[in-house]
Amino acid sequence: MTPTDLTEQADQLRALARDFEALHARVRDVSYTPGTDALRQISPLLLKAQDLTAITLVRLGALDNSAYTNIAGSRASLECLASVVVASSLAGQDLALALYANPYEGAPFPGYPVDDASVRTVRHAEAIPKMTGHLADAAHQLDLSATGCHYVATGVTRDLTAVREAAATAQRAAGPALTGPQYDALETFSLGSCRLYEMGLGVTRVATDDGARVSIATFRALAKRGLVDRDTSTSLFRGQKITVTEEGQQALARPRPAATTATPAKAVPKPSAVPGARR
C-alpha cells in the first residue's frame, strides 16, 4: 500500500477549510422567501454540507491509517478532526431543521379550510424566526468546521517539521564517530572554561581560563558538526566563550571512543650481500 503523503494531507485539509468557509458565507448570506423558494435556496446548502462531512470523514480515515499516528501529539489532531465531523454534521442538521420549519403550501386534508392570504402571512411570520435561527446555527457550525480544519492542517505541518528537524539533528550528531581527542576536548568544553581568541593576523586559538590550550582544529571539527557553539556577542580579542550544544551533550553521554592502536611497521629486510662486492 502506498504510504500517505502527510504534506498532501495538510494541503487537502486547507482546501477543505476553504470549502467550509465558502459554504459558511453562502449560508450566512442566503436570501429566500418562505415556501417553495426557501426549499430551492436551502436544499443545495444542505447537500453541500453533507458532501463536506463525507470528505472530512475521508481525511480523518487517511490520517488515522497513516504514519502520522506515530508522531507525539497526533492524537489531538485526530480528535480535532473528529470534532469537525460533528460540527459539519450539526450544520447539516440545522439546515434540515430550517427546511422542516419552512411553511409549505400544499393542500390540507379534505374538510379543512384552505389557507387564505392572512393565514399564510401568519404562518410565514411564525416560520421566519425559526428558520433564521437554524440558519444562524448552521453558519456557526460551518465556521467551527473551517477553523478545525485549519488547526489540524497547521498541526500536521508543524509536527512534520519537528520530526524532520529532529532527524536532521540526530543525523548531524551521529555523523562520524568522535575520536579520542575530540571526545576529550568536548569534555573540556563542557566545563565552561574555554574561550576562542584571535591573536592577530587571523591567528586563532582555544584556551581555558587557566591557560591550557585546546587544538583549534579539534574545535573547528566539533563546531562543524554542531556539537559546540561560541558566544559571538563577545569580541574575539576578549575571548568568545565556548559551550557544548544539546547534540554535544548527547555525544558525551555515549562511551568514550576506544583508543586506536597503531599498527607496527614491518621490518624492512636488509639487502643480501652481492657476490663479488667489497666488504
Side-chain angles (χ1 to χ4, degrees):
M1 185 172 61
T2 304
T4 301
D5 186 336
L6 295 178
T7 300
E8 181 182 353
Q9 288 296 316
D11 291 340
Q12 290 175 340
L13 284 168
R14 292 188 182 93
L16 181 58
R18 292 191 291 270
D19 288 340
F20 274 120
E21 289 168 347
L23 182 57
H24 167 264
R26 289 174 60 190
V27 171
R28 181 194 59 202
D29 299 335
V30 65
S31 177
Y32 63 91
T33 300
T36 301
D37 181 62
L39 179 62
R40 291 173 177 169
Q41 299 299 329
I42 298 175
S43 293
L45 305 179
L46 172 56
L47 293 173
K48 184 62 176 179
Q50 292 172 335
D51 183 42
L52 293 182
T53 300
I55 295 174
T56 305
L57 272 174
V58 173
R59 299 278 74 82
L60 176 60
L63 282 183
D64 187 59
N65 290 309
S66 72
Y68 181 63
T69 57
N70 298 322
I71 299 177
S74 58
R75 182 186 300 173
S77 294
L78 294 172
E79 291 175 347
C80 181
L81 196 53
S83 74
V84 173
V85 175
V86 175
S88 60
S89 297
L90 290 175
Q93 178 182 357
D94 288 323
L95 290 169
L97 288 171
L99 290 179
Y100 180 67
N102 182 42
Y104 298 96
E105 304 298 338
F109 286 111
Y112 287 85
V114 177
D115 295 344
D116 57 19
S118 61
V119 173
R120 283 196 296 272
T121 299
V122 171
R123 291 180 63 217
H124 288 188
E126 292 176 345
I128 288 176
K130 296 178 182 178
M131 297 176 69
T132 300
H134 291 312
L135 291 171
D137 290 342
H140 174 66
Q141 295 296 341
L142 292 169
D143 185 43
L144 292 178
S145 299
T147 300
C149 287
H150 279 305
Y151 177 86
V152 177
T154 301
V156 171
T157 302
R158 181 190 62 243
D159 294 339
L160 280 178
T161 301
V163 168
R164 288 167 181 163
E165 289 177 350
T169 299
Q171 183 178 10
R172 185 171 61 248
L178 291 178
T179 64
Q182 288 175 338
Y183 190 92
D184 294 340
L186 201 57
E187 279 191 322
T188 301
F189 293 146
S190 69
L191 300 177
S193 62
C194 288
R195 296 176 185 273
L196 177 68
Y197 296 92
E198 183 171 328
M199 310 307 297
L201 300 178
V203 178
T204 55
R205 69 180 176 89
V206 176
T208 63
D209 292 342
D210 58 8
R213 299 282 290 272
V214 178
S215 166
I216 185 66
T218 300
F219 163 75
R220 287 171 177 165
L222 295 174
K224 185 176 181 180
R225 293 176 57 176
L227 303 181
V228 295
D229 200 359
R230 58 193 173 97
D231 179 13
T232 56
S233 65
T234 306
S235 168
L236 278 169
F237 294 101
R238 293 183 56 189
Q240 296 179 346
K241 186 175 181 180
I242 298 172
T243 56
V244 177
T245 65
E246 183 178 349
E247 292 82 0
Q249 296 292 350
Q250 294 172 0
L252 279 176
R254 294 189 282 270
R256 185 185 187 281
T260 57
T261 304
T263 304
K266 294 182 179 180
V268 180
K270 294 181 179 179
S272 58
V274 178
R278 293 182 180 181
R279 296 184 178 179

